[in-house]
Amino acid sequence: MSTKTPATQMLTKAGVTFTTREYDFVGGQSNIALHAAEAIGADPDTVLKTLMVEVDGKPACCVIQSDHSLSMKKVAHAFGGKSAQMMDTAKAERLTGYHKGGISPFGQRSRAPVAFEETTMAHETVVINGGKRGMMVVLTPQDAVQATAGMVAPLIAES
């Protein structure tokens, strides 16, 4: 499987050090990121999922742990808006240039502002989708934030 994607090309161009991890993607999973964590034998807290949202009708990208859910109130606040909702899958695919299960915060077709869950910064490395189904990139959370010109904010719902 080729590891050359818009995401990995963007990371390489930005001078970010990363490695790739591949696994057999199985469609139809209720939580694709948890499936990826299990498939590569990684702690679900370090495997991050990329979720496309709309804040006051404008696209935004949230990156959180695979075993957590977004708080739309926190998402709206993080992006300086009044309300937030999940983006329709077809719209997210058109906007990012990636397919569901392969959406990455890196190298998106139309760049949306990115926010990373603040608690992900405590990890030495994190695993994030590399731009296609079945391929992840491993890098420091600080490099991920820097590469996306992203921000760090509380985003997850309380359990």
Side-chain angles (χ1 to χ4, degrees):
M1 181 188 296
S2 171
T3 58
K4 190 173 181 181
T5 66
T8 58
Q9 290 174 320
M10 180 251 195
L11 290 170
T12 300
K13 187 176 178 182
V16 173
T17 301
F18 67 94
T19 58
T20 58
R21 298 281 308 268
E22 296 180 73
Y23 68 96
D24 291 327
F25 175 82
V26 178
Q29 300 287 323
S30 60
N31 188 325
I32 297 166
L34 275 176
H35 167 70
E38 184 178 318
I40 64 172
D43 178 350
D45 206 44
T46 65
V47 177
L48 310 182
K49 57 186 172 183
T50 306
L51 301 170
M52 297 303 295
V53 298
E54 292 182 86
V55 178
D56 296 343
K58 296 179 182 150
C61 179
C62 296
V63 185
I64 67 170
Q65 296 93 330
S66 61
D67 56 350
H68 286 78
S69 299
L70 282 175
S71 161
M72 290 303 166
K73 184 176 181 178
K74 290 179 182 179
V75 169
H77 180 70
F79 288 102
K82 293 183 180 189
S83 67
Q85 65 184 27
M86 291 301 298
M87 186 179 288
D88 173 73
T89 300
K91 186 173 184 178
E93 289 179 339
R94 277 192 313 276
L95 183 79
T96 64
Y98 298 124
H99 295 291
K100 180 180 179 182
I103 294 179
S104 177
F106 313 114
Q108 293 184 358
R109 179 181 294 148
S110 296
R111 197 165 168 205
V114 181
F116 288 80
E117 163 54 37
E118 65 184 2
T119 58
T120 63
M121 296 297 111
H123 298 291
E124 188 174 318
T125 60
V126 291
V127 184
I128 304 173
N129 195 287
K132 69 179 176 183
R133 295 169 175 164
M135 190 186 81
M136 309 294 277
V137 292
V138 181
L139 69 169
T140 69
Q142 295 78 13
D143 281 347
V145 171
Q146 185 176 2
T148 60
M151 64 176 146
V152 177
L155 301 171
I156 56 175
E158 302 301 321
S159 326

